[in-house]
Amino acid sequence: MTRHYNFCAGPAALPDAVLARAQREMLDFEGRGLSVMEMSHRSDEFAGIAHQAEACLRRLMGIPEQYRVLFLQGGASMQFAMLPMNLLGRGGRANFIQTGIWGKKALAEARHLGFDCHVAGESESNGHIEVPSRESLQVSDDAAYLHYTANETIGGLEFDYVPTLARADGADVPLVCDMSSSILSGPIDVTDFGVIYAGAQKNIGPAGLTLVIVREDLIGHALARTPTLFDYQALAEAESMVNTPPTYAWYLSGLVFDWLENEMGGLAAIDALNQRKADKLYRAIDDSDFYSNPIARHNRSRMNVPFVLADSALDKAFLSEAEAAGLLNLKGHRSVGGMRASLYNAVPEAAVDALIAFMHDFEQRKG
Amino acid sequence: MTRHYNFCAGPAALPDAVLARAQREMLDFEGRGLSVMEMSHRSDEFAGIAHQAEACLRRLMGIPEQYRVLFLQGGASMQFAMLPMNLLGRGGRANFIQTGIWGKKALAEARHLGFDCHVAGESESNGHIEVPSRESLQVSDDAAYLHYTANETIGGLEFDYVPTLARADGADVPLVCDMSSSILSGPIDVTDFGVIYAGAQKNIGPAGLTLVIVREDLIGHALARTPTLFDYQALAEAESMVNTPPTYAWYLSGLVFDWLENEMGGLAAIDALNQRKADKLYRAIDDSDFYSNPIARHNRSRMNVPFVLADSALDKAFLSEAEAAGLLNLKGHRSVGGMRASLYNAVPEAAVDALIAFMHDFEQRKG
């Protein structure tokens, strides 16, 4: 068995140690005589797994007591609909900062549901190569919340600040952050946010699990006729078990949290490692005339590094030779083209070194 | 490693052979150097896995071309909301047959969403021990569809007929069936149904996947402002990939379908086996004065066998001794009490034999 280096944007690489442990426990979890997949979600065994995962996440991220952690289904995209239905029950308007494809989808879904929305800032006008400055952002006088995407996975554009804003009347504007592709990549201050949410399939675990971290005062105000499984209050009261949750994905996310805490040394340590990995790759790109990345330096994503070749006719050769060298999933998103290397937590530094070596070699032969 | 016999109602037992194969492939799927969990859902590798699973399911169930098969998230409970939002766009009223807790929840969710509903039949009046007769069912003149629960997992009550009905004006009433706990337990005629849906965690795979089999003419009529991820049309057009699907659960369901087809001999063979398993256990219950099951014989569930002890003070001893004997998860649902043995496809006949032997022994010692 050979494990290749996997630069997929999501579903993404998982730590070898986590997969090996899941493999060992597949048919028999801790001598119980059954797989985690076969456990009742209401059993003591699974309750232990579920609570341990949440407790570990709370320690890692420093999540205060007044936030609830929900383990849901449907992906970040389902939150695009759930958020306005939960947060507009007290009136006001949804505000959005739009810096790429995912932010645009979140805004489009709110509008699709019939909500009037305000765009507080955008980078469409610069082709999404630089996030709007804090000073340029303007929330509406009736802002109920402000939504943004901390890291745009496709464009490779990342905020270098947290856009906490107040309304003209001084009222707090709860900040709602799609953190799908940057959660757990480094420490944050959870109290800056009203809601943090993330699809699991990048830095958390397998696809099919969505994490929602929501401040308690924002729970309980869903619009009438919100589907029960969309209502944060129903979900929080039932501890994410209104119905059967994705138990195996929940268990795996717990293994990833445990790995982060006990093998990688927590978020400060992984932060430094992620910075080093990204710096290396961007330096290799910048030092070459053959590869390029268009994003403003202070907004370059640490998790998703898109780059293009000077001659796009060489794209196919680059991808097939990379794959033959054990460097998988480097193709850029179909809407952007070129290449993209995603450097999530589970992608080891050795993978980045191998990629850079391959890029040098390819340039020397074809450049 | 010892694998115990697992009678859990869901998440339920999975075939040993499926878990062993998933274990082997955990870190490296077919020499690709990565886990199925780490594959892009848009990759050729995963497309192969996804299409193979659907093709195998279509062969097993005999699903005709004019039906779409969707691999979704949210469980059967999310369908309770999605169904009226998709099927009432052309007007008319949702009709329900209510034969237990799950049917009641489906009806309650439709009403919660503001839809006026008609109850076409119910077994509440007999304490859910017998399903209403076909002759007693009455759909409303404006019936848009008729929803029922083929097998009530908690009560152990199963339909022994398919309630296909017509309206007074002769119009077809699409039949919508929650088949969560009986799907794949034997052959059915898919063309009797407008929609069949099922949570995966009983006879399909791990929790976190929901199967929806929907006739094409029922797609494309969602109400305005239906969330995109609730809209069968959007989901069907994107082949269940509007966003990232639960890829690992999809893969595992494919392994289960393959096991059913190639190791168990298909649905006719599993049907005979399931009948034998259920007959044995009900016979052991009926032949005793110590155990009893209240359900009318022709409506006894083959998948979920609830029973009570003559003296409920012995319940705890029964459960703890059963567990010590490697017979897991026999506790009845908290709303019903007593015991429940779920005999899904992956529960081998040897498990039923072991349970019956234990029941005899327990009765002789304590009865």
Side-chain angles (χ1 to χ4, degrees):
Chain A
M1 185 201 73
T2 311
R3 294 267 300 158
H4 292 322
Y5 291 132
N6 182 9
F7 298 95
C8 192
L14 286 162
D16 288 6
V18 165
L19 290 172
R21 183 163 159 195
Q23 184 181 46
R24 281 197 306 277
E25 297 179 342
M26 175 63 89
L27 280 94
D28 182 13
F29 177 77
E30 296 186 352
R32 307 296 180 112
L34 77 180
S35 174
V36 173
M37 273 183 232
E38 301 173 302
M39 287 178 185
S40 168
H41 55 297
R42 311 257 180 223
S43 66
D44 292 342
E45 286 94 339
F46 187 74
I49 290 169
H51 291 150
Q52 227 171 296
E54 179 177 337
C56 189
L57 179 71
R58 283 182 176 274
R59 285 193 303 274
L60 278 168
M61 292 184 69
I63 302 172
E65 246 183 64
Q66 73 270 26
Y67 285 77
R68 298 296 301 262
V69 179
L70 306 176
F71 290 80
L72 307 180
Q73 300 185 55
S77 297
M78 198 163 272
Q79 294 304 312
F80 298 168
M82 285 171 71
L83 283 161
M85 293 172 100
N86 277 278
L87 301 183
L88 295 178
R90 286 190 290 192
R93 243 189 320 165
N95 278 226
F96 290 83
I97 310 175
Q98 212 261 81
T99 54
I101 288 173
W102 292 106
K104 194 169 179 173
K105 285 192 181 194
L107 171 61
E109 183 70 8
R111 285 183 169 151
H112 168 70
L113 296 176
F115 300 112
D116 182 30
C117 299
H118 170 77
V119 176
E122 52 78 31
S123 55
E124 191 118 40
S125 45
N126 67 38
H128 297 310
I129 59 165
E130 184 172 18
V131 309
S133 69
R134 186 193 290 270
E135 299 68 39
S136 72
L137 300 175
Q138 289 199 306
V139 292
S140 65
D141 291 347
D142 59 354
Y145 67 91
L146 173 64
H147 178 281
Y148 82 115
T149 313
N151 178 64
E152 282 282 354
T153 321
I154 293 173
L157 185 71
E158 187 166 5
F159 272 80
D160 56 338
Y161 68 94
V162 177
T164 44
L165 292 174
R167 285 196 329 209
D169 63 6
D172 168 50
V173 180
L175 189 60
V176 174
C177 182
D178 179 353
M179 222 175 264
S180 292
S181 50
S182 57
I183 194 165
L184 295 171
S185 63
I188 58 162
D189 183 348
V190 172
T191 62
D192 283 339
F193 302 90
V195 184
I196 293 168
Y197 67 99
Q201 66 274 12
K202 295 154 196 297
N203 258 341
I204 296 171
L209 178 73
T210 316
L211 207 62
V212 178
I213 301 165
V214 51
R215 213 172 59 207
E216 267 177 351
D217 63 290
L218 300 173
I219 297 174
H221 313 290
L223 291 159
R225 301 185 179 182
T226 294
T228 305
L229 285 173
F230 271 27
D231 183 346
Y232 289 154
Q233 182 166 31
L235 294 161
E237 278 174 3
E239 301 197 320
S240 308
M241 295 195 195
V242 170
N243 65 339
T244 315
T247 49
Y248 196 66
W250 193 330
Y251 150 77
L252 283 166
S253 75
L255 297 189
V256 171
F257 301 153
D258 182 70
W259 168 83
L260 261 177
E261 187 177 45
N262 294 308
E263 293 196 46
M264 301 309 282
L267 295 197
I270 205 85
D271 186 58
L273 178 59
N274 283 329
Q275 194 60 51
R276 208 162 63 224
K277 282 153 56 185
D279 284 348
K280 267 187 194 181
L281 182 54
Y282 282 116
R283 196 175 319 119
I285 292 167
D286 290 341
D287 286 351
S288 135
D289 294 328
F290 189 73
Y291 303 106
S292 63
N293 167 290
I295 306 295
R297 292 197 180 209
H298 60 286
N299 292 139
R300 280 174 161 182
S301 167
R302 302 196 309 175
M303 293 291 107
N304 312 99
V305 182
F307 59 94
V308 294
L309 275 53
D311 177 3
S312 66
L314 291 170
D315 283 6
K316 274 197 174 172
F318 182 93
L319 289 168
S320 64
E321 291 186 25
E323 192 172 326
L327 306 168
L328 307 184
N329 293 313
L330 285 163
K331 192 174 179 179
H333 190 270
R334 59 193 186 282
S335 64
V336 178
M339 314 298 152
R340 175 176 47 170
S342 291
L343 310 182
Y344 298 119
N345 290 344
V347 175
E349 191 165 7
V352 182
D353 293 338
L355 171 60
I356 291 169
F358 170 81
M359 288 167 69
H360 280 310
D361 178 64
F362 187 84
E363 180 179 359
Q364 288 202 318
R365 287 185 290 111
K366 313 266 183 168
Chain B
M1 186 202 73
T2 311
R3 294 267 299 157
H4 292 321
Y5 291 133
N6 182 9
F7 299 94
C8 193
L14 287 162
D16 289 5
V18 164
L19 290 172
R21 183 162 158 195
Q23 184 180 46
R24 280 196 307 277
E25 297 179 343
M26 175 62 89
L27 280 94
D28 182 14
F29 178 77
E30 296 185 351
R32 307 297 180 111
L34 79 179
S35 174
V36 172
M37 275 183 229
E38 302 173 303
M39 289 178 185
S40 168
H41 55 296
R42 311 257 179 223
S43 66
D44 292 343
E45 284 95 340
F46 187 74
I49 289 169
H51 291 150
Q52 227 172 296
E54 180 177 335
C56 189
L57 179 72
R58 283 183 176 273
R59 286 194 303 274
L60 278 168
M61 293 183 67
I63 302 172
E65 247 183 63
Q66 72 271 26
Y67 286 77
R68 298 297 301 262
V69 178
L70 306 176
F71 291 80
L72 307 181
Q73 299 185 55
S77 298
M78 197 163 274
Q79 295 305 311
F80 298 168
M82 286 172 70
L83 284 161
M85 293 171 100
N86 277 279
L87 301 184
L88 296 178
R90 285 190 290 191
R93 244 190 319 167
N95 279 226
F96 289 84
I97 310 175
Q98 212 263 81
T99 54
I101 288 173
W102 292 106
K104 195 170 179 173
K105 285 192 182 194
L107 171 61
E109 183 69 8
R111 285 182 169 152
H112 168 71
L113 296 176
F115 299 112
D116 182 31
C117 299
H118 170 77
V119 177
E122 52 78 31
S123 55
E124 191 119 39
S125 44
N126 67 39
H128 296 310
I129 60 164
E130 185 172 18
V131 308
S133 69
R134 186 193 291 269
E135 298 68 38
S136 71
L137 300 174
Q138 288 199 307
V139 293
S140 65
D141 291 348
D142 60 354
Y145 65 91
L146 174 63
H147 178 281
Y148 82 115
T149 314
N151 178 66
E152 281 282 353
T153 321
I154 292 172
L157 186 72
E158 186 166 7
F159 272 81
D160 56 339
Y161 67 93
V162 177
T164 44
L165 293 174
R167 286 199 326 212
D169 63 4
D172 168 50
V173 180
L175 188 60
V176 174
C177 182
D178 178 352
M179 222 176 263
S180 292
S181 50
S182 58
I183 193 166
L184 295 172
S185 62
I188 58 162
D189 183 348
V190 173
T191 63
D192 283 339
F193 302 90
V195 184
I196 293 167
Y197 68 99
Q201 67 274 12
K202 296 154 196 297
N203 258 341
I204 296 170
L209 178 73
T210 315
L211 206 64
V212 178
I213 301 165
V214 51
R215 213 172 60 207
E216 267 177 351
D217 63 290
L218 300 174
I219 297 175
H221 312 291
L223 290 159
R225 302 184 179 183
T226 293
T228 305
L229 285 173
F230 271 27
D231 183 345
Y232 290 155
Q233 183 165 32
L235 293 161
E237 277 173 4
E239 301 197 320
S240 308
M241 295 194 195
V242 170
N243 65 339
T244 315
T247 49
Y248 196 67
W250 193 330
Y251 151 76
L252 282 165
S253 75
L255 297 189
V256 171
F257 302 153
D258 182 69
W259 168 82
L260 261 178
E261 187 177 45
N262 294 308
E263 293 196 46
M264 301 309 282
L267 295 197
I270 204 85
D271 186 57
L273 178 59
N274 284 328
Q275 194 62 50
R276 207 161 65 223
K277 282 154 54 185
D279 284 347
K280 267 187 195 182
L281 182 53
Y282 282 115
R283 198 176 318 118
I285 291 167
D286 291 340
D287 286 351
S288 136
D289 294 327
F290 190 73
Y291 304 106
S292 64
N293 167 289
I295 307 295
R297 293 197 178 208
H298 60 286
N299 291 139
R300 282 174 161 181
S301 167
R302 302 197 310 176
M303 293 290 107
N304 311 100
V305 182
F307 59 93
V308 294
L309 275 53
D311 178 4
S312 65
L314 291 170
D315 284 7
K316 274 197 174 172
F318 182 93
L319 288 167
S320 64
E321 291 187 25
E323 193 172 325
L327 306 168
L328 306 184
N329 293 312
L330 285 164
K331 192 174 179 179
H333 190 270
R334 59 192 186 283
S335 64
V336 178
M339 314 298 153
R340 175 175 48 170
S342 292
L343 311 181
Y344 298 119
N345 290 344
V347 175
E349 191 165 7
V352 182
D353 293 338
L355 172 60
I356 292 170
F358 171 80
M359 288 167 69
H360 280 310
D361 178 63
F362 187 85
E363 180 179 358
Q364 287 201 319
R365 287 185 291 111
K366 313 265 182 169

